[in-house]
Amino acid sequence: MSRTYRTRLRRGLTATALLTATVLVPVPAHAEAVADYAITVDPDATGAAIDDTMYGVFFEDINRAADGGLYAELVQNRSFEYSTADNPAYTPLTSWTADGTAEVADDAGRLNDRNRAYLKLAAGSSVTNAGYNTGVRVEQGERYDFSVWARAEAGTTLTIGLKDAAGTLASARQVTAEGGWRKYTATLTATRTSNRGRLSVATTEAAALDMVSLFPRDTYKGQSNGLREDLAEKIEALDPGFVRFPGGCLVNTGSMEDYSEASGYQRERAYQWKDTVGPVETRATNANFWGYNQSYGLGYYEYFRFAEDIGAMPLPVVPALVTGCGQNEAVEDEALLQRHIQDTLDLIEFANGPAGSTWGKVRARMGHPEPFHLTHLAVGNEENLPEAFYARFAKFRAAIEAKYPDITVVSNSGPDDSGTTFDTAWRLNREGGVDLVDEHYYNSPEWFLQNNDRYDSYDRQGPKVFLGEYASQGNAWRNALSEAAYMTGLERNADIVELASYAPLLANEDYVQWRPDLIWFNNRASWNSANYEVQKLFMNNTGDRVVPSTATTTPAVSGPITGAIGLSTWATSAAYDDVRVTAADGDSLFADDFSGDASRWTHSGTGSWSVQDGQYAQTDETAENTLVTAGDPAWQNYDLHVKATKKAGKEGFLVAFGVKDTGNYYWWNLGGWNNTRSAVEQAVDGGKSTLISEAGSIETGRAYDIDVKVRGRQVTLYLDGEEWGSFTDDKPAEPFRQVVTEDERTGDLIVKVVNAQDTAARTAVDLGGARVASRARVTTLAAGQDAVNTETDTPVTPVVSTFTGVAATFSYTFPANSVTFLRIRQR
């Protein structure tokens, strides 16, 4: 990684301090509950170097992250392209209401072939747009730039209005339109603030309209048709080393064809960069995988500009022609593959080529004659067919390295943190000498506390890791604490983990497809999640090298796996029979052949359960997590037998064991992930982690014998009498984690401590003889584990203080449920 990429100096601790004070003795959050720890630092030992680009962000257009989010356009469905291909509820007039006669046309009169739909308005008619969330947001005194493409009869007047239910929000503007398609503009100045504005366009004569647009004049860095300022500034404040873009599932789902007459103007395509550059009115609309439309107003040019503006390395991702995210098909079309490889070479030219080159000229015409200095490019995203993926990846890589040998080509390891797909992908990447492998996983807080040592054992001679997507499953402080604990392990292994980015980045609270998310917003405000505060603290205080250190741990308390049993389905109808639980000594603990009723079962989930023909059936094919449970939560050392038959639907069976309650259990998920994989998942406080995973599917109409053997903390699983797999759940979830780094510019030692428990941690710190100043600058994040930041309440906020008791050896009490950074100046 090149340090020349970002020449600005690393910031010190966050400037968002709410409190600065001199602290002589840190006060624990719960003075009556203190555990003792020790941290020993070896400043003379050599630790891993940490590059400036280690931590970054991942932008994907999910949760309305682009249109209605970072892209500052205030008009929804501005070009009347919404379609049932995007969402079954959409029409070309979604978000619009008409007064008079308005008709959306798709014919030869269109604006251009790539912007196919347009609006016909009869004389005396008007249309009004509802914007996003509660409406068009405007602020008193601010200016807004309106534009529209129109084709009209001579003497036509277009009147542009901005109102809400209480009345006018800006003085109406009129433009005279006549002749063929032309772009018309006007400026509106808001006379008061409103979150519920409506933009209207009225015409005196018959007219055709397209690309109806309203942008705030005040966008990020004042760029025309640019980015929403508050969201862009929050991303910039993270000080990211890179920006991964544009996906995610947007990259490896849908058709790989282009948007043209030859392909039938396919609307459900993988994200292809050439659709997203050039004038916005010529960019081809697309159906977003997450269930809405994407205008591509925020495209590759805007992405490169934004990365440059915030001093981050761009890291684009291109399709590998193997679909994923539940689709899992390899495209067998060599000509199409070669076209995508050429498109990727053209993308590099667009980013780096001279202004006179074919694609450099396109960049220059858009306003940026200088290159964007692209150094890294990823091929593919979470492909679940590793052999098919790698065969295609190798062709991309060979072509890129032949023409652009300085570009680092990034591969990936599939959608999970382990399992056969993961293992196969890593084997292929190692054998192929790949430089960097993208790993993704979303797991429970428990998993992140258990797996701080994940990268300790990785082969130092093999490929390096790009942790492109990770998050624990929530935005509460407990989730952020577990991520912070995990990040100490990422830094300790900075020689293996070169890049890491939490995902996803943005979520509009009214259009959510995925949780958790880093930054939340609506049309009037944005706020930082607790997870954001952790990411910002680490990203603004990374340091340049690891200073080796060790710490004592928390005594582990463990016993055998205990719990009741359960049955469930996910978007599937299934029937269960012959459920038996037998103790290790052979005694029967439970048996139900459903020859009577199901009164021994407790239904705690969704779905429709009933006894039918001597089986316990769940018949709702759309219901998710239909869990029913039976038995004693104190059961241990037992054998569970179930006979299961899939009736219809997308997936297979879910057989639970070790059930303590509805948020804490294990289940064997057979035929999950759109019937492509089977795995054992552990739920802790509702968050799930995968313990073991294999590829495979479940047949409809076939009866399966499922057996689970629980002994202590060892579990063995059998499918139709054959051992399917086994695991031992014995890793402690260590709540006390630390890492120490050094800032070469300031000479500071940065002691980073995570105490993810309800007990304060009284800690003896030995700096190994380092000569240090007596004062340290301290930044603390601390809150109750259930705390969640919202628009109106931010319980997780950094507090900056000064500690004056630093010495070669000193004591510090880290509050319960806290992340603490001490910046200690070396003499």
Side-chain angles (χ1 to χ4, degrees):
M1 301 290 171
S2 172
R3 291 183 187 278
T4 62
Y5 216 99
R6 300 162 70 218
T7 56
R8 68 199 187 287
L9 294 176
R10 274 274 163 193
R11 299 187 183 98
L13 286 166
T14 178
T16 57
L18 298 186
L19 173 66
T20 302
T22 299
V23 180
L24 298 178
V25 180
V27 179
H30 301 284
E32 75 284 357
V34 180
D36 289 315
Y37 294 89
I39 296 172
T40 303
V41 183
D42 187 354
D44 296 326
T46 301
I50 308 174
D51 198 86
D52 280 353
T53 55
M54 177 172 183
Y55 292 124
V57 295
F58 166 43
F59 180 91
E60 179 176 10
D61 188 359
I62 185 174
N63 309 312
R64 290 281 187 185
D67 297 334
L70 185 60
Y71 187 50
E73 173 66 78
L74 297 173
V75 176
Q76 185 175 176
N77 190 17
R78 66 183 178 186
S79 61
F80 310 101
E81 296 286 348
Y82 275 28
S83 158
T84 53
D86 309 320
N87 187 296
Y90 280 1
T91 76
L93 284 174
T94 292
S95 198
W96 294 93
T97 56
D99 184 5
T101 302
E103 174 191 359
V104 175
D106 181 357
D107 57 32
R110 63 179 62 91
L111 178 59
N112 60 64
D113 283 344
R114 293 171 66 80
N115 190 340
R116 301 185 66 76
Y118 65 98
L119 182 70
K120 292 180 178 180
L121 272 184
S125 299
S126 66
V127 286
T128 300
N129 190 266
Y132 296 94
N133 301 94
T134 56
V136 176
R137 161 73 178 186
V138 295
E139 295 188 31
Q140 183 176 0
E142 295 295 323
R143 290 182 295 173
Y144 297 84
D145 293 324
F146 169 86
S147 64
V148 63
W149 282 80
R151 188 187 69 221
E153 300 175 3
T156 298
T157 298
L158 301 178
T159 301
I160 300 96
L162 190 58
K163 299 180 179 180
D164 63 9
T168 300
L169 291 171
S171 298
R173 292 289 182 265
Q174 293 184 334
V175 296
T176 300
E178 61 181 7
W181 287 107
R182 286 180 51 199
K183 184 177 181 180
Y184 300 91
T185 62
T187 299
L188 304 176
T189 301
T191 54
R192 56 187 176 86
T193 296
S194 175
N195 304 321
R196 302 178 182 276
R198 299 290 187 267
L199 177 74
S200 64
V201 182
T203 181
T204 57
E205 308 298 333
L209 306 180
D210 207 346
M211 296 296 293
V212 182
S213 173
L214 188 69
F215 264 86
R217 179 74 57 86
D218 190 10
T219 56
Y220 179 68
K221 295 191 180 296
Q223 295 174 6
S224 175
N225 288 8
L227 306 181
R228 179 169 151 174
E229 190 169 41
D230 62 328
L231 295 179
E233 288 177 347
K234 278 179 163 51
I235 299 169
E236 181 182 34
L238 289 168
D239 195 21
F242 65 88
V243 182
R244 178 174 174 251
F245 175 94
C249 290
L250 302 188
V251 168
N252 68 338
T253 56
S255 170
M256 298 295 165
E257 299 286 350
D258 62 1
Y259 191 67
S260 67
E261 182 178 10
S263 66
Y265 296 104
Q266 295 190 34
R267 280 291 298 273
E268 298 178 66
R269 311 181 308 282
Y271 197 109
Q272 299 175 52
W273 79 271
K274 289 179 180 178
D275 288 340
T276 77
V277 298
V280 291
E281 66 272 12
T282 66
R283 299 185 189 183
T285 191
N286 199 11
N288 183 297
F289 173 82
W290 299 108
Y292 54 90
N293 177 273
Q294 51 194 139
S295 73
Y296 289 143
L298 195 169
Y300 257 92
Y301 176 76
E302 291 76 17
Y303 155 61
F304 282 131
R305 282 290 300 269
F306 182 52
E308 181 181 70
D309 285 341
I310 63 177
M313 178 180 80
L315 206 168
V317 186
V318 299
L321 273 71
V322 178
T323 59
C325 300
Q327 297 181 1
N328 301 329
E329 293 182 2
V331 177
E332 302 291 349
D333 185 332
E334 186 63 26
L336 186 59
L337 174 64
Q338 292 302 321
R339 194 267 287 174
H340 276 267
I341 290 173
Q342 185 59 51
D343 282 354
T344 302
L345 297 175
D346 293 344
L347 172 61
I348 298 170
E349 183 175 281
F350 176 78
N352 292 353
S357 64
T358 301
W359 287 101
K361 190 178 299 181
V362 174
R363 181 193 70 236
R365 283 200 300 265
M366 295 184 74
H368 201 284
E370 302 81 12
F372 284 117
H373 305 293
L374 178 68
T375 61
H376 290 65
L377 184 144
V379 177
N381 169 78
E382 294 188 9
E383 282 71 28
N384 207 25
L385 303 173
E387 291 91 351
F389 161 73
Y390 192 82
R392 289 155 180 78
F393 168 83
K395 293 182 179 181
F396 276 88
R397 181 187 179 197
I400 294 168
E401 291 182 345
K403 189 168 185 179
Y404 299 105
D406 293 334
I407 297 290
T408 297
V409 186
V410 183
S411 182
N412 76 79
S413 59
D416 298 305
D417 60 85
S418 60
T420 53
T421 296
F422 178 88
D423 293 340
T424 301
W426 260 103
R427 176 180 59 78
L428 293 168
N429 286 318
R430 281 194 300 270
E431 291 172 352
V434 170
D435 292 317
L436 202 55
V437 176
D438 188 4
E439 293 190 354
H440 295 178
Y441 37 83
Y442 298 90
N443 287 318
S444 69
E446 183 94 352
W447 186 93
F448 283 97
L449 294 177
Q450 289 175 324
N451 287 278
N452 177 275
D453 63 348
R454 175 179 176 87
Y455 297 107
D456 290 359
S457 59
Y458 269 50
D459 181 4
R460 263 53 193 173
Q461 304 306 312
K464 306 303 183 185
V465 172
F466 168 27
L467 181 49
E469 296 184 33
Y470 74 98
S472 81
Q473 295 156 338
N475 278 137
W477 181 229
R478 68 163 48 85
N479 301 97
L481 276 171
S482 71
E483 292 154 7
Y486 194 71
M487 292 171 79
T488 66
L490 299 183
E491 290 193 3
R492 186 177 63 252
N493 289 285
D495 59 325
I496 287 292
V497 183
E498 291 197 354
L499 305 168
S501 52
Y502 179 103
L505 179 62
L506 293 169
N508 185 321
E509 67 172 352
D510 292 333
Y511 309 93
V512 179
Q513 289 83 37
W514 183 275
R515 299 172 187 268
D517 303 286
L518 205 62
I519 300 169
W520 289 79
F521 65 94
N522 51 38
N523 65 345
R524 63 187 177 273
S526 57
W527 56 96
N528 304 333
S529 67
N531 318 66
Y532 174 98
E533 296 298 348
V534 162
Q535 293 292 322
K536 182 178 180 182
L537 189 57
F538 274 86
M539 291 164 80
N540 280 245
N541 298 276
T542 307
D544 300 288
R545 75 173 183 97
V546 176
V547 182
S549 61
T550 58
T552 54
T553 58
T554 306
V557 178
S558 183
I561 292 174
T562 62
I565 61 170
L567 308 170
S568 188
T569 59
W570 202 284
T572 302
S573 171
Y576 297 92
D577 197 5
D578 192 23
V579 179
R580 300 191 306 270
V581 181
T582 307
D585 61 7
D587 288 347
S588 176
L589 300 176
F590 180 90
D592 199 338
D593 63 3
F594 304 105
S595 57
D597 58 25
S599 59
R600 301 169 68 185
W601 295 84
T602 300
H603 184 188
S604 56
T606 61
S608 178
W609 288 90
S610 62
V611 175
Q612 300 179 6
D613 301 323
Q615 296 179 313
Y616 199 20
Q618 196 294 113
T619 55
D620 186 343
E621 294 179 36
T622 64
E624 299 179 346
N625 195 7
T626 65
L627 185 66
V628 292
T629 58
D632 188 343
W635 281 344
Q636 57 182 275
N637 297 320
Y638 59 79
D639 298 317
L640 166 64
H641 172 80
V642 177
K643 187 176 288 290
T645 306
K646 175 181 175 178
K647 299 297 188 181
K650 296 180 179 179
E651 303 202 345
F653 319 117
L654 294 160
V655 176
F657 55 96
V659 179
K660 292 182 172 60
D661 53 48
T662 56
N664 295 275
Y665 54 84
Y666 302 81
W667 68 18
W668 189 2
N669 186 348
L670 286 150
W673 297 272
N674 281 334
N675 206 17
T676 61
R677 289 189 290 130
S678 297
V680 176
E681 298 177 283
Q682 181 184 15
V684 178
D685 295 329
K688 295 189 186 71
S689 299
T690 300
L691 302 182
I692 182 173
S693 175
E694 301 284 349
S697 60
I698 293 297
E699 298 176 23
T700 301
R702 174 184 166 187
Y704 290 84
D705 284 305
I706 298 167
D707 292 274
V708 180
K709 180 179 180 179
V710 181
R711 296 292 185 272
R713 302 201 69 80
Q714 170 80 30
V715 177
T716 308
L717 306 112
Y718 301 87
L719 187 63
D720 286 336
E722 299 291 330
E723 182 174 333
W724 177 87
S726 65
F727 67 92
T728 302
D729 181 22
D730 61 357
K731 293 193 73 172
E734 173 58 55
F736 186 82
R737 297 291 188 184
Q738 60 81 38
V739 70
V740 180
T741 64
E742 182 180 36
D743 185 327
E744 292 179 352
R745 180 178 65 88
T746 64
D748 290 352
L749 291 176
I750 313 173
V751 179
K752 311 173 187 184
V753 177
V754 180
N755 182 27
Q757 59 187 329
D758 292 329
T759 301
R762 183 170 51 208
T763 306
V765 181
D766 183 346
L767 296 178
R771 297 179 64 247
V772 293
S774 62
R775 298 165 67 89
R777 193 175 186 212
V778 183
T779 299
T780 304
L781 295 166
Q785 289 210 4
D786 294 330
V788 176
N789 285 357
T790 67
E791 180 182 357
T792 57
D793 185 25
T794 54
V796 181
T797 303
V799 175
V800 176
S801 59
T802 301
F803 174 58
T804 59
V806 179
T809 60
F810 66 96
S811 293
Y812 193 95
T813 300
F814 296 95
N817 300 316
S818 67
V819 180
T820 306
F821 279 31
L822 293 87
R823 283 193 83 109
I824 301 171
R825 182 65 55 86
Q826 297 185 87
R827 294 186 185 279

